[in-house]
Amino acid sequence: MKKGVQPVSTFNDVWRKLSASREYRAAFAKAQFKRLVPFQIRALRKNRQMSQEELAEKANLTQGVISRAEDSDYGNLTTNTILRIAEGLDCAFVGRFAPFSELGDWFLNLSEDTVQVPSFEEEDRLFRLGQLRPRPKVSRPKIRATAQTVQVISFDTRQAIALPNPLRIAAGATQLSLWDFSKGSGAGPQLVNSSPRPQGTSTLNLPVKVAVGAGGNYGN
Amino acid sequence: MRFWRFFDYITEGHSNPIQDWYGTVDHDVQAAFDVLVQELAGTEVWNTPNQYRLLTGKHLGMCELVFKVGRRKFRALGMMEGGKREFVLLGGCEHTRWYSIPSDAFDAAYKLKTQLDEERGATREHV
């Protein structure tokens, strides 16, 4: 069997699908919620080495309810049940509105490891040892741009990279996504524009405070 | 951490059966399938029968991934290489106890599995 070398999903791949239609975006958000809350409950329970019966007892629910809550296809999970399960896991469930860029990023990094949340007991142990501190306020990276250079943050690696301005676009780039890292209130960078690469374009003049997003579609 | 990798099977005629099927279904089915694949990629040990089932009988050797959209049931068909934690997608369908849409989805996928076993065609990382 021949295996072609192809990239796995990148943020650009996800964004391309989200951009395709409003209906897909809505369905994607719904599917994430319906499938990934059960996924997270399973992953958290397994990591705490609890049986469904044990979690049920702590959450004041029945084992059958936990079993259904862990079934992505069940489809009738109520907020009240989720909150009781959070209580059983001794952590918080925070339902909040989020931009699609954050959802896409979370989707790409999804795994049983990345959804883990410590219990209050674990956090309290750290607190008593003086090792628990409030999470630092997320400061959006400031993009420093001059006529010659622009500093951008790679969406994939979160590393700052200095690139010449105007930017030389990589030969294989097909899509250009511009992100403004200076906006947002803790919800992540804002997508300014995403469009197919203009034909015949090899350089791009970046406005101040705008960075090129993800997927390796930037040149240097 | 990604535990599993997913591949599309590309036929000798350069068609991509899973993407062909994906293109025919509604947005809500597409989205549910996309999330399912990502969920399974991030799950170390899959759960049977809720997430996947190994097929028997005339489709022995194939595996189906199971998902629902509302009351409708869907299957993504493929081959699992558990040792390498790889899954090759061969096709998809809507499935009830009585019928599948498309009706020959299972047989068509099995034919592709046979081609894959004979090292015909290629695979490409699923995106």
Side-chain angles (χ1 to χ4, degrees), chain A residues 1-4 6-9 13 17 21 23-24 27-28 31-32 35-36 39 42 46 71-74 107-114, chain B residues 1-3 7 22 27-28 30-32 34-36 38-39 42-44 50-51 66-68 81 84 86 116 119 121-125 127:
Chain A
M1 178 166 60
K2 290 172 280 183
K3 280 192 176 147
Q6 291 287 327
V8 292
S9 289
D13 296 322
K17 287 188 179 183
S21 82
E23 287 79 14
Y24 177 84
F28 180 77
Q32 285 241 32
R35 294 206 70 89
L36 301 186
F39 174 80
R42 283 198 305 271
K46 273 170 62 180
D71 180 357
S72 307
D73 287 330
Y74 173 61
F107 171 77
L108 284 173
N109 292 305
L110 181 73
S111 104
E112 288 173 327
D113 298 336
T114 56
Chain B
M1 181 181 173
R2 314 263 70 179
F3 295 104
F7 294 89
Y22 183 92
H27 290 305
D28 51 354
Q30 292 179 343
D34 288 338
V35 175
L36 170 79
Q38 201 73 2
E39 175 190 332
T43 304
E44 188 172 11
N50 289 340
Q51 291 178 312
V66 182
F67 67 104
K68 276 169 77 176
E81 295 191 57
K84 289 196 273 183
E86 290 180 355
L116 187 57
E119 301 196 345
T123 58
R124 186 170 72 189
E125 191 106 26
V127 175

